[in-house]
């Protein structure tokens, strides 16, 4: 493994010590983050840092296999349209361009990297409970860094330090997101629409999207955040069976299907497999 990637200073400046809440700074060799009270957090060789309160065990997050499938599927560009819709929502508006982006449950960091590519003045932080995902996210973009954290717990981020919070197919904690957002900041949430991956549900026995998901999302975020706008994006991919296998493997379905069962079901699909990608992209601002 090569040397740890450098840390973007403005991203480190947005972080808070998970023990005392103080500001964190990077040591000269970028191998450790420290707060003024002396709490220190070593960076892993792969570049990520773990910022969890003492004794806090995070949920396990995505496995190594799921993360490998996510890397492959996103690197092939199949969700480039989702990244583009996310970037549009993150960068829209005629105010000052966002400088600090926080991607909660950001996985491999590939969506964040796509947004950073369009935001030359911005830095980004991926928070994810999966160390396998954080390893990938640590190298996703030169202006991004990766932190292993539990987004259901107090976030290791300073009050009001974030211009845009991003949540793509991941859990969201309304109270904490509102705390870390700058008063003029925005939250952008991407969720699957009811027909997302619809063609695969029956043949592969996938989990279905809860039709009440939008209502549940709104309820979980209010009263901390107020909805501002929503857009929808739909497209149809034409995938070979190998790509469908990675698409299934990277998602929650992977936990419900055995590899053999999936292989049998995949074998029955006719290539190319038409797959609908349908998402809602909702933007929120802080309440009050
Ligand atoms: C469906 S994946 C989405 C990943 C990424 N946003 C994307 O779209 O490529 C959900 C991610 O949330 C992470 N996750 C689940 N529970 C979490 C928690 N409590 N704290 C932080 N991350 C969590 C998982 O490890 C996984 O990387």
């Amino acid at each position: 493994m090569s040397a740890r990637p450098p840390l973007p200073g403005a991203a480190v400046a947005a972080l808070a010590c998970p023990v005392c809440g103080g500001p964190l700074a990077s040591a000269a060799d970028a191998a450790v983050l420290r707060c003024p009270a002396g709490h220190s957090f070593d960076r892993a060789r792969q570049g990520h840092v773990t910022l969890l309160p003492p004794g806090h065990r995070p949920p396990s997050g995505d496995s190594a296999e799921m993360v490998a499938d996510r890397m492959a599927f996103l690197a092939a560009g199949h969700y480039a349209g989702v990244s583009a819709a996310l970037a549009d929502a993150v960068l829209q508006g005629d105010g000052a361009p966002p400088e600090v982006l926080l991607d909660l449950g950001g996985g491999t960091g590939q969506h964040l990297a796509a947004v950073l590519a369009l935001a030359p003045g911005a830095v980004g932080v991926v928070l994810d409970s999966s160390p396998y995902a954080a390893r990938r996210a640590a190298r996703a973009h030169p202006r991004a860094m990766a932190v292993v954290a539990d987004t259901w717990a107090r976030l290791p981020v300073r009050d009001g330090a974030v211009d845009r919070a991003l949540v793509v197919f991941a859990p969201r904690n309304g109270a904490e997101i509102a705390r870390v957002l700058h008063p003029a900041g925005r939250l952008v949430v991407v969720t699957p629409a009811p027909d997302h991956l619809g063609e695969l549900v029956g043949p592969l026995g996938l989990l279905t999207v809860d039709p009440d998901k939008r209502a549940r999302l709104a309820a979980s975020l209010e009263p901390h955040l107020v909805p501002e706008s929503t857009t929808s994006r739909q497209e149809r991919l034409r995938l070979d069976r190998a790509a469908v296998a990675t698409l299934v493997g990277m998602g929650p379905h992977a936990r419900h299907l055995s590899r053999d069962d999936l292989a049998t079901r995949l074998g029955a699909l006719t290539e190319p497999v038409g797959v609908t990608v349908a998402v809602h992209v909702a933007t929120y601002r802080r309440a009050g």
Side-chain angles (χ1 to χ4, degrees), residues 58-63 66-67 70 74 79 82 103-111 127-131 133 148-153 166-171 250-252 255:
S60 55
D62 284 3
S63 66
M66 291 169 77
V67 168
R70 180 169 300 281
L74 297 189
Y79 271 2
V82 175
D103 192 353
L104 297 106
T108 52
Q110 286 155 291
H111 288 302
L127 300 183
D128 204 285
S129 58
S130 163
V148 174
D150 179 0
T151 56
W152 283 127
L166 288 53
V167 180
V168 183
F169 304 143
M250 76 186 201
R255 299 197 175 106

Side-chain angles (χ1 to χ4, degrees), residues 60-155:
S60 55
D62 284 3
S63 66
E65 293 77 17
M66 291 169 77
V67 168
D69 280 343
R70 180 169 300 281
M71 279 297 292
F73 190 79
L74 297 189
H78 300 307
Y79 271 2
V82 175
S83 290
L86 172 71
D88 280 352
V90 167
L91 302 176
Q92 76 174 2
D94 45 14
E99 292 178 1
V100 178
L101 315 182
L102 180 71
D103 192 353
L104 297 106
T108 52
Q110 286 155 291
H111 288 302
L112 177 67
V115 178
L116 287 172
L118 298 172
V123 298
V125 178
V126 167
L127 300 183
D128 204 285
S129 58
S130 163
Y132 305 106
R135 284 176 196 173
R136 303 300 193 135
R139 290 171 194 274
H141 192 279
R143 283 181 276 117
M145 65 175 292
V147 176
V148 174
D150 179 0
T151 56
W152 283 127
R154 185 177 174 85
L155 302 178

Side-chain angles (χ1 to χ4, degrees), residues 16-32:
C17 172
V19 180
C20 67
L24 287 175
S26 167
D29 62 359
V32 182

Side-chain angles (χ1 to χ4, degrees), residues 102 104 151 154-155 157-165 167 172-187 220-226 284-288:
L102 180 71
L104 297 106
T151 56
R154 185 177 174 85
L155 302 178
V157 179
R158 299 173 70 180
D159 294 1
V162 171
D163 297 311
R164 296 290 183 276
V167 180
R172 53 246 145 195
N173 172 345
E176 274 297 284
I177 291 170
R179 178 182 68 76
V180 302
L181 270 184
H182 184 273
R186 296 286 183 272
L187 163 67
S220 72
L221 294 175
E222 293 160 18
H224 314 285
L225 295 142
V226 180
Y284 294 77
R285 62 176 168 76
R286 268 173 52 164

